[in-house]
Amino acid sequence: QNYVQAVELTCERTLSEKLPMLFLIPRFDYFGGFSMLGLGDVFLPGLFIVYCLRVDYLKMKIFQRENPDQTFNRSQFLLSHRYYIPVCIAYSMGFIAVLLANKYEITINGVQGQPALLYLVPFTLGTFHFLAYRNKDLATLWNISLASLDPEEFEEDTEEGDDHETV
């Protein structure tokens, strides 16, 4: 059984290329069948989750610049992910809500096949907004420039051969 449906695209340079557009998730009930999940339902929240991880690393890098004598241990590393881990958990809870809505046919205005983004966006953005408000980072995150991390500094860090603890 093919769990990914693809759409063929053609272009002048290539004869055809297949792009995944729909994921089929098997339902484990007595009806059988599949629930559908579109590529946008995975890709757009995934971009937001990567943004949360980038914000956490930006804040961790700023902390390391301001406190060069302190080192990060494992608990500080987990605590430094103020947005990434909670938003991943919220995405998982939103995805469970999507699957339950499909299973029990919960609809809004009687429309069948509610898009997953209808559930995933409030879970992920709501969690992020709540955490940013609680951490007093909302204004900073609204105006943040992720380009403020200089890529040359990352190259210098890797060239110096910093000892990183492996797990």
Side-chain angles (χ1 to χ4, degrees), residues 142-158:
W142 187 260
N143 299 316
I144 197 168
S145 171
L146 295 180
S148 64
L149 280 179
D150 188 9
E152 294 175 2
E153 289 183 14
F154 282 113
E155 291 173 8
E156 290 173 7
D157 288 347
T158 56

Side-chain angles (χ1 to χ4, degrees), residues 72-102:
F72 262 45
N73 60 25
R74 188 177 306 210
S75 65
Q76 289 172 328
F77 180 77
L78 290 175
L79 289 175
S80 68
H81 288 87
R82 290 183 182 176
Y83 300 104
Y84 173 70
I85 292 174
V87 169
C88 284
I89 292 169
Y91 177 82
S92 302
M93 291 172 45
F95 190 72
I96 290 169
V98 167
L99 295 177
L100 291 175
N102 284 335

Side-chain angles (χ1 to χ4, degrees), residues 16-78:
S16 67
E17 186 173 330
K18 290 187 176 186
L19 295 174
M21 298 302 280
L22 185 67
F23 298 103
L24 299 174
I25 300 169
R27 291 196 303 199
F28 300 107
D29 58 2
Y30 58 91
F31 291 120
F34 297 94
S35 293
M36 296 182 287
L37 184 65
L39 179 66
D41 300 330
V42 175
F43 183 71
L44 292 176
L47 280 177
F48 181 66
I49 289 172
V50 169
Y51 172 77
C52 292
L53 183 63
R54 178 72 182 203
V55 166
D56 285 340
Y57 282 149
L58 174 64
K59 293 181 80 54
M60 188 178 357
K61 192 69 172 175
I62 291 170
F63 176 80
Q64 287 176 340
R65 283 182 193 161
E66 293 172 355
N67 305 304
D69 55 336
Q70 292 185 355
T71 59
F72 262 45
N73 60 25
R74 188 177 306 210
S75 65
Q76 289 172 328
F77 180 77
L78 290 175

